[in-house]
Amino acid sequence: MRKTRSDSKLLNLPEEQQAQLADWLLGGMPYHEAKAIVAKPAPEGFGVSVSINAFSGFWQTVCAPMMLQRRSRAVRTADLIAEEIDKAPGRLDSATIDLLKQQAFELASSPQARPRDVKALFSLVLKARDQELVERRIRLLETKAAQADQAEQVVRNEVLSPEEKAQRFKEIFGIA
Amino acid sequence: MTTQRATLAALDRVRPYLLPLMALWTDTNALLGRPVSLTALQDTLVELEAKRFVVSIDQDGVAKWRISDLGSAELRAGG
């Protein structure tokens, strides 16, 4: 009777166990650690004893395609975020936009990241940026209102000469 | 598939984004039947950069790589 190949053992695991193993390996678990875990009896492990080389085969057959898929998904997620960013030109400078897009891509590429969470995170970043702009606009309006009040007092002042008033206006509006 | 072509293909798949070196190594090996060492990949990158097929950028002390227009054209031409 032919002996089952060591890497076949991993490839013949039930689908959910293969998915679990792929999750571990894609999450950075070293082969020797994975070997020890899968050798443990269920429910902790899979009760399968294989060589380290078997994990290379499993990686190439199962993990590598999954990883490439994940990378493609990360590109799509980052592209969606990039569209959101590009919808509001002028809010951020181009260097910041490029950096945000790259960060979105890298975050979406990470094993634990879920595209929906990454998009939500970047929406928050953009909203925070919007909020900052609104606050800046409000501060600017408040400054202008205060300047208008001061200017009005100068206009109503009957003691000041026209030259003195002109000088006050310059001071209020910061004109050199 | 050669290492050069796999490297270009890995970068082209994520264009226009940059791939950190370690991620590029994993992706290149995922495309190759026979994995290459990190040193071999770095040698390949030096060759590709000399041909202006790839661009390297240092971000926060991490080397990241991007395929250039020339590199993309080379890949599509089957080089």
Side-chain angles (χ1 to χ4, degrees):
Chain A
M1 194 176 142
R2 258 179 89 176
K3 195 180 166 189
T4 312
R5 274 174 51 125
S6 185
D7 54 352
S8 302
K9 281 188 196 172
L10 293 179
L11 296 172
N12 285 327
L13 286 171
E15 212 171 287
E16 63 272 18
Q17 288 186 344
Q18 283 196 36
Q20 175 65 75
L21 179 58
D23 249 15
W24 287 335
L25 297 178
L26 287 166
M29 183 185 282
Y31 288 169
H32 65 87
E33 219 172 281
K35 181 181 184 297
I37 292 181
V38 299
K40 287 182 183 172
E44 204 181 338
F46 307 152
V48 175
S49 180
V50 289
S51 68
I52 288 283
N53 282 343
F55 288 92
S56 301
F58 184 81
W59 175 270
Q60 210 61 32
T61 311
V62 178
C63 299
M66 280 175 84
M67 205 182 46
L68 291 175
Q69 271 176 18
R70 177 183 295 166
R71 199 80 71 200
S72 299
R73 206 171 50 228
V75 170
R76 288 197 297 275
T77 304
D79 282 348
L80 283 174
I81 292 165
E83 275 174 30
E84 286 296 311
I85 295 170
D86 290 337
K87 271 183 198 165
R91 286 197 309 194
L92 301 161
D93 62 80
S94 63
T96 309
I97 288 172
D98 286 347
L99 194 62
L100 270 179
K101 288 177 185 175
Q102 178 63 27
Q103 291 295 325
F105 168 67
E106 287 183 32
L107 198 57
S109 292
S110 73
Q112 289 81 19
R114 290 189 304 175
R116 207 175 52 186
D117 294 343
V118 176
K119 272 188 267 181
L121 176 66
F122 278 84
S123 293
L124 282 176
V125 170
L126 292 175
K127 274 184 191 162
R129 173 73 190 174
D130 282 347
Q131 185 61 31
E132 197 184 308
L133 284 178
V134 167
E135 282 169 12
R136 204 184 296 168
R137 222 167 277 151
I138 289 171
R139 278 199 299 273
L140 196 65
L141 287 172
E142 284 172 347
T143 306
K144 281 184 187 292
Q147 285 172 331
D149 283 348
Q150 288 174 31
E152 193 184 347
Q153 284 171 20
V154 173
V155 171
R156 291 181 190 284
N157 191 321
E158 292 170 1
V159 181
L160 294 172
S161 69
E163 291 76 22
E164 286 172 325
K165 284 184 179 181
Q167 183 56 39
R168 289 280 175 89
F169 287 139
K170 282 182 182 174
E171 287 167 8
I172 291 168
F173 295 107
I175 302 165
Chain B
M1 190 185 273
T2 63
T3 308
Q4 279 206 5
R5 193 164 170 74
T7 308
L8 287 177
L11 290 173
D12 198 56
R13 294 179 81 255
V14 302
R15 202 176 180 215
Y17 303 104
L18 296 153
L19 261 189
L21 180 63
M22 298 310 282
L24 176 57
W25 185 32
T26 326
D27 286 17
T28 302
N29 279 337
L31 292 170
L32 284 168
R34 192 188 173 91
V36 293
S37 67
L38 184 58
T39 313
L41 175 70
Q42 284 171 317
D43 291 345
T44 302
L45 285 168
V46 169
E47 291 164 15
L48 290 172
E49 198 174 26
K51 292 177 186 170
R52 298 191 183 164
F53 290 163
V54 296
V55 179
S56 163
I57 291 169
D58 189 284
Q59 254 181 14
D60 304 321
V62 178
K64 295 178 184 180
W65 296 85
R66 173 190 287 148
I67 193 166
S68 66
D69 290 345
L70 199 60
S72 262
E74 174 71 9
L75 187 66
R76 271 148 197 67

